[in-house]
Amino acid sequence: MLIKIPTNEETKQANRFRTYLNYLLSISTFIGNSKDNPKSIIQNVIQSRTFSNIQGKDCDIEKIGRLFRNAWFTEVQINISSQFEEFISYSNHWTPVQTYYSLYLALRAYFTSTGQDVSREHASNLKVIGEEIKRRPSLFPQPWNIICIGNPGNSIPELLNLPKGVTILKVSSLTSSFRTTFWNSYALCLKTTRKRQIETLCNDWKIRFRKKRICPFEKKKFIENLSPTTLFHILYRLRIRSNYADADSFLLSDQNFNDAISFHSALLNIGWCSLLVLELLVARHIGKKKFDYLVNGFRKYEKNGWSDGLIGLRWDTIRNLW
């Protein structure tokens, strides 16, 4: 029997997938299987004064409807693949892309409901949601309201809105989610995501000015001007890595079927819960009646029932609590 020894590149790619898996498992476990108890996510938001003080504005309901129909249809597509376990290893290459885009569209619906005119550029949408969470953290439950600011080069990242008594310790990205606290894992994920944001800005600067190195002053300006890093940035980072840089990492996940399923399940859970948060906020801004109209309009044409446990369950939860 021949034993195949993985190459250095295969080992690197496998470690990358393990890193992504650890982060997602940690976040998903912290959130919990919220389809069983979705009200636990949004109860504190609904009870907050900030939520109660939201005043509805005249906005483009048809545009919000188009954005959500696109987001919901994308979510349905992701969940169809989860019904066939033999396909999950293959669909994992594209699942991060679809998950991110469903949330990107929901974010744009949220901005439209608040009267904000945000360009369609991904960087602009991520910047605005980071600033929104920093400004009104009580509208977002944990862990969505935990954001990273400052210099990601520090050994311990600077996080806002951490619960009282939580201390962040340094851990490895390869540390299993079962061997460290959620807060340590999440802090590292936010920190490394922010670090990559800075690296991208620095690389773009070097290309633009045809320099091999960036001066410390310019790098410092990038750090100071960078908006807060959020869970949405993490999902965007994963989308970029799976779509462009690390496709082989997801291909190699096929070698461990259980890990592939865990990755897929964790990502679907995070996406489902993130949509719940954004749908709640949009419904508050436009009113229950108008949001109900949007939901029913989508479910009217989605006749196979896939949306029942997705938007259907989320909207029923929101209506019953608020």
Side-chain angles (χ1 to χ4, degrees), residues 142 145-146 159-168 183:
Q142 295 177 357
N145 68 341
I146 311 300
L159 304 184
L160 298 183
N161 307 317
L162 279 174
K164 292 182 179 179
V166 170
T167 301
I168 302 300
W183 298 111

Side-chain angles (χ1 to χ4, degrees), residues 74-120:
T74 303
E75 184 190 24
V76 167
Q77 291 176 335
I78 306 170
N79 279 267
I80 288 175
S81 64
S82 67
Q83 305 302 307
F84 308 98
E85 290 189 343
E86 62 270 28
F87 296 151
I88 287 178
S89 296
Y90 297 95
S91 63
N92 273 347
H93 174 215
W94 207 246
T95 300
V97 181
Q98 292 174 303
T99 300
Y100 167 75
Y101 268 101
S102 68
L103 295 178
Y104 161 78
L105 291 162
L107 280 173
R108 292 199 55 72
Y110 170 63
F111 297 143
T112 301
S113 74
T114 62
Q116 300 181 71
D117 184 15
V118 182
S119 79
R120 288 191 288 183

Side-chain angles (χ1 to χ4, degrees), residues 238-296:
L238 191 59
R239 170 247 162 170
I240 292 296
R241 303 306 293 183
S242 65
N243 205 177
Y244 298 111
D246 293 333
D248 286 349
S249 299
F250 299 90
L251 175 63
L252 290 171
S253 75
D254 183 44
Q255 299 177 16
N256 191 322
F257 187 60
N258 290 331
D259 281 352
I261 293 176
S262 295
F263 179 93
H264 192 80
S265 299
L267 193 53
L268 261 60
N269 188 47
I270 295 168
W272 191 93
C273 297
S274 299
L275 283 170
L276 173 65
V277 174
L278 294 173
E279 288 161 3
L280 169 66
L281 297 179
V282 173
R284 175 60 183 166
H285 280 89
I286 69 174
K288 286 183 180 179
K289 190 173 182 179
K290 290 180 180 178
F291 198 85
D292 194 61
Y293 166 78
L294 299 181
V295 173
N296 291 333

Side-chain angles (χ1 to χ4, degrees), residues 5-6 63 69 138 154 166 182 196 216 271 281 287:
I5 299 176
K63 178 181 178 181
R69 285 193 295 274
S138 60
N154 297 334
V166 170
F182 163 74
R196 281 172 173 76
L281 297 179

Side-chain angles (χ1 to χ4, degrees), residues 161-209:
N161 307 317
L162 279 174
K164 292 182 179 179
V166 170
T167 301
I168 302 300
L169 301 176
K170 186 177 180 180
V171 295
S172 166
S173 61
L174 292 176
T175 301
S176 167
S177 60
F178 302 106
R179 298 181 59 188
T180 187
T181 69
F182 163 74
W183 298 111
N184 289 338
S185 175
Y186 194 54
L188 180 60
C189 189
L190 285 171
K191 172 187 173 179
T192 54
T193 301
R194 190 170 180 82
K195 184 177 180 180
R196 281 172 173 76
Q197 290 178 271
I198 297 296
E199 289 173 351
T200 298
L201 291 171
C202 291
N203 288 335
D204 289 345
W205 184 92
K206 286 187 285 187
I207 293 172
R208 178 183 176 188
F209 292 100

